[in-house]
Amino acid sequence: MGEEDNFWASGVTGPCGPCSEIYYDFHPERGYSNVDLGDDTRFIEFYNLVFMQYNRKDDGSLEPLKQKNIDTGMGLERVARILQKVPNNYETDLMFPIIEKASKLAKVSYANADDDTKTNLKIIGDHMRAVVFLISDGVFPSNIGRGYVVRRLIRRVVRIGRLLGIKGDGDQNPEGAFSPVLAESVIQLSAQIDPHVKTRTPRILEELEREELRFVQTLERGEKLLDEFLSNALSFSPENGDRPQLSGKDAFLLYDTYGFPIEITTEVAEERGVSVDMNGFDVEMEKQRQQSQAAHNVVKLSVGSDSELASNIPDTEFLGYETLFASATIKGLLVDGNSVQEVSEGKDVEIMLNRTPFYAESGGQIGDNGFLYSFEDEDGTQKTIVKITDVQKCFGNVFVHKGMIKEGKIAVGLEVDAAVNAKLRQGAKVHHTATHLLQAALKSVIGQEISQAGSLVAFDRLRFDFNFHRPLLEHELIVIEELINGWVADATHLQTKVMALTDAKRAGAIAMFGEKYGEQVCHFSVTFLCTFDFHCFLLKKNCLLPMIKNDTTHKYTHFRFIYMLR
């Protein structure tokens, strides 16, 4: 059928090749004159094969791939539709039981429903199946990343369910949640596919119930105001005959003040024949972002645009795991973002060294403080002192030492002695280790599914952000505190090694999702000794550690936590 139909490419450039699609014809009796494969009431493509043999270059020309391959894929739902002889993928036994359950809760007959109702029931079935498997795999509702995808899917199910008239959980509880009832159908269907889903049923149902009931409150707050906004938009007839529009300012008010998701606003508006000014919404969002930034004292590096400097400065050799003092050579200087060769006393300066014991801010830990010294006279008279107040990374792995020249002057090429403030570094070490101990305790006490969402490791304090569906209970806080203090009091041995990223993961190191690691990482491991007496204490608090065996014949149990530092 020619290149338009039988050639596949991954993009404008890159691997590509001829392809062959296999279609099933539901109505061969209609003949093949003027056949249209795009007619999805008659044909369905259920198998595709791409013979990947070319690489398309920037000029559009094709060159043979060194390693040719066949990319093949078959649609499970589509094959089920063909074999079960049903009109669409949603009515196969992979999904239709979920739709039937939703129809029962909505008190409607799917067979006799109009097209709009059927579409809404299909959305519910599709989204519920996705949500159950996502939560089972550890993706929980949140405001960021994958978690926000789950939250959006649940919210759409809830809103459409309410639109269909579903009230409560269908079990004489009008204030209950219906999504857990639908999830039970998904879990039953998954028994022969993924047995882990069934074992995680309590957590799945708990997450869905909490998310739905919380969103219903948001809906009730925002729906009334949205209806008022939409009525005003419809009552105003644009002079040029354009479609009525909800202003970006009103949409942002719903989002920012009432917690009403913008995707729900646009969906409801579309149903009423009203568009949403998304450009105006984005403007309001940007205003808020700038106001939020202005409210914080943000210190930014001023070296990002100096491409010439970036090409001339090599990566900094970091020595800070072995020593807090080292000699080094100044390889670059910046004043107010401009590259200079020399800087005199009293000036703020950014200094790049060939090697350094100073830790640059990363992984939540702030940069080291300290001093740079130079001794130029033969009698050893000290000529230059630079006070370092922050260290950041730029240009990949170049350490930028921010500070002020207290005495003398410095120049590119000058040899200096770099000394880290040992007391402050010790404070950072203590709080960094405590951060990981805290995470280990949290995973032990409230569950392995908790995930780090950010942290601050300072000289005088730490902050640990994590995702969990509820506040910690008082007895859990007590257990966590006792557990960490016990490890500290026992002077638990900590081993630190620098190794390849793959080796660290093979050893069991925890890599934080969303973090970027280099090829070499700093890995530390701790083996904790837990007495049976403390085990009994945890049991009394109804908080059994999953890693500790309930075995009264053993007085001690060892378990190990391994973490990875950037």
Side-chain angles (χ1 to χ4, degrees):
M1 295 182 67
E3 182 174 339
E4 183 177 349
D5 289 291
N6 287 113
F7 197 89
W8 185 91
S10 59
V12 178
T13 60
C16 56
C19 65
S20 177
E21 295 95 9
I22 301 178
Y23 285 78
Y24 186 85
D25 182 2
F26 289 97
H27 298 286
E29 72 278 1
R30 296 181 185 175
Y32 301 104
S33 176
N34 298 319
V35 69
D36 177 14
L37 288 175
D39 180 4
D40 58 9
T41 63
R42 176 176 175 180
F43 298 102
I44 181 172
E45 178 196 341
F46 67 94
Y47 207 157
N48 178 275
L49 301 110
V50 181
F51 300 89
M52 207 78 75
Q53 62 190 70
Y54 300 114
N55 176 56
R56 177 167 280 149
K57 302 193 314 190
D58 290 335
D59 61 4
S61 63
L62 300 176
E63 62 179 4
L65 281 175
K66 293 181 180 178
Q67 297 293 333
K68 299 179 177 62
N69 61 86
I70 298 175
D71 183 314
T72 175
M74 179 185 286
L76 174 64
E77 288 89 349
R78 299 181 186 192
V79 174
R81 173 187 170 188
I82 293 169
L83 294 175
Q84 295 172 23
K85 297 180 173 58
V86 293
N88 55 70
N89 296 349
Y90 298 95
E91 295 183 32
T92 68
D93 58 6
L94 293 167
M95 194 179 301
F96 196 60
I98 314 168
I99 293 173
E100 284 186 310
K101 188 66 174 180
S103 301
K104 184 178 179 180
L105 290 175
K107 296 181 172 56
V108 298
S109 166
Y110 179 85
N112 299 324
D114 57 36
D115 289 343
D116 287 342
T117 300
K118 284 184 175 180
T119 297
N120 284 332
L121 289 168
K122 290 173 184 175
I123 291 171
I124 289 176
D126 173 84
H127 287 13
M128 281 306 307
R129 189 172 67 157
V131 163
V132 167
F133 280 98
L134 282 164
I135 296 176
S136 174
D137 284 345
V139 184
F140 302 106
S142 71
N143 286 328
I144 57 172
R146 302 176 303 170
Y148 189 56
V149 174
V150 176
R151 175 160 285 172
R152 287 182 63 178
L153 291 174
I154 295 173
R155 286 177 170 181
R156 196 168 190 220
V157 166
V158 173
R159 199 190 76 80
I160 290 175
R162 287 165 62 90
L163 195 65
L164 291 174
I166 298 177
K167 296 182 187 295
D169 59 8
D171 190 25
Q172 309 303 319
N173 182 7
E175 303 299 323
F178 69 85
S179 57
V181 179
L182 297 176
E184 289 174 348
S185 297
V186 181
I187 293 166
Q188 290 174 5
L189 290 172
S190 71
Q192 302 303 318
I193 303 168
D194 184 352
H196 295 294
V197 176
K198 188 172 183 63
T199 62
R200 295 163 184 158
T201 294
R203 183 64 193 274
I204 294 169
L205 302 183
E206 181 185 355
E207 288 287 343
L208 285 169
E209 180 179 24
R210 180 175 49 259
E211 190 68 19
E212 178 179 338
L213 295 180
R214 183 185 298 166
F215 181 55
V216 165
Q217 295 176 347
T218 298
L219 277 175
E220 290 173 349
R221 286 197 308 266
E223 277 180 334
K224 184 176 181 181
L225 186 58
L226 175 58
D227 182 69
E228 182 181 325
F229 286 157
L230 293 177
S231 297
N232 291 338
L234 287 166
S235 65
F236 174 73
S237 301
E239 295 180 1
N240 56 8
D242 287 345
R243 191 178 180 189
Q245 187 176 67
L246 179 69
S247 73
K249 193 169 184 178
D250 287 343
F252 185 76
L253 176 67
L254 285 164
Y255 167 82
D256 188 47
T257 305
Y258 295 92
F260 209 73
I262 184 61
E263 61 271 9
I264 298 294
T265 297
T266 55
E267 192 171 311
V268 175
E270 287 292 328
E271 292 170 359
R272 297 276 296 273
V274 178
S275 64
V276 178
D277 178 14
M278 289 305 300
N279 289 333
F281 177 85
D282 291 339
V283 168
E284 295 298 322
M285 182 71 83
E286 179 63 20
K287 282 182 185 177
Q288 188 200 55
R289 187 185 67 80
Q290 291 178 357
Q291 290 171 355
S292 177
Q293 283 188 341
H296 295 81
N297 183 21
V298 180
V299 180
K300 294 185 178 180
L301 289 175
S302 53
V303 297
S305 61
D306 201 323
S307 58
E308 181 180 349
L309 181 65
S311 62
N312 294 327
I313 300 294
D315 285 352
T316 308
E317 180 186 0
F318 177 59
L319 309 171
Y321 289 140
E322 297 83 30
T323 181
L324 298 183
F325 179 86
S327 60
T329 302
I330 295 177
K331 307 299 288 187
L333 295 170
L334 287 168
V335 175
D336 296 330
N338 299 311
S339 179
V340 296
Q341 292 297 306
E342 185 176 283
V343 187
S344 57
E345 184 175 317
K347 293 280 190 179
D348 290 326
V349 64
E350 295 172 344
I351 306 167
M352 282 139 280
L353 305 174
N354 65 329
R355 59 208 299 263
T356 184
F358 283 82
Y359 185 86
E361 180 177 327
S362 61
Q365 181 171 322
I366 65 175
D368 280 330
N369 286 192
F371 291 90
L372 301 182
Y373 305 99
S374 72
F375 304 88
E376 295 186 349
D377 290 354
E378 293 181 0
D379 62 359
T381 303
Q382 187 172 288
K383 283 293 186 181
T384 303
I385 302 176
V386 183
K387 183 178 182 181
I388 302 300
T389 56
D390 188 22
V391 185
Q392 299 282 336
K393 285 183 183 179
C394 69
F395 306 142
N397 202 37
V398 176
F399 287 38
V400 179
H401 305 70
K402 300 170 69 72
M404 172 183 279
I405 302 178
K406 307 297 286 186
E407 293 183 22
K409 62 182 179 180
I410 56 175
V412 174
L414 179 67
E415 297 289 329
V416 295
D417 292 325
V420 174
N421 185 318
K423 184 177 180 180
L424 295 182
R425 167 68 81 84
Q426 180 61 24
K429 286 172 63 178
V430 165
H431 292 105
H432 203 142
T433 301
T435 299
H436 289 287
L437 293 178
L438 175 57
Q439 185 181 38
L442 285 166
K443 282 182 174 290
S444 301
V445 174
I446 64 174
Q448 290 293 308
E449 67 271 17
I450 75 114
S451 59
Q452 181 176 347
S455 68
L456 169 69
V457 177
F459 305 129
D460 60 343
R461 68 192 187 281
L462 69 88
R463 189 197 74 240
F464 184 79
D465 310 329
F466 64 97
N467 293 317
F468 197 56
H469 62 272
R470 59 168 173 79
L472 299 186
L473 304 176
E474 184 178 356
H475 77 267
E476 291 171 334
L477 291 171
I478 293 172
V479 172
I480 290 167
E481 184 177 351
E482 291 283 346
L483 190 56
I484 296 172
N485 286 340
W487 293 335
V488 174
D490 289 340
T492 305
H493 181 60
L494 182 148
Q495 290 181 310
T496 305
K497 297 179 182 178
V498 175
M499 61 176 64
L501 176 61
T502 53
D503 292 338
K505 288 183 177 179
R506 196 177 298 117
I510 298 174
M512 304 305 174
F513 181 80
E515 289 280 13
K516 295 181 179 180
Y517 297 93
E519 288 302 314
Q520 296 288 315
V521 294
C522 180
H523 155 291
F524 74 82
S525 62
V526 193
T527 300
F528 302 119
L529 182 67
C530 181
T531 68
F532 181 70
D533 290 340
F534 188 68
H535 183 195
C536 291
F537 167 75
L538 295 173
L539 287 172
K540 288 176 184 177
K541 293 294 183 180
N542 298 317
C543 196
L544 174 62
L545 291 182
M547 274 77 76
I548 303 178
K549 295 187 297 183
N550 186 8
D551 185 350
T552 58
T553 63
H554 295 281
K555 186 176 181 182
Y556 299 103
T557 301
H558 289 83
F559 56 101
R560 198 162 181 244
F561 291 107
I562 307 175
Y563 290 93
M564 204 153 54
L565 303 178
R566 295 200 301 163

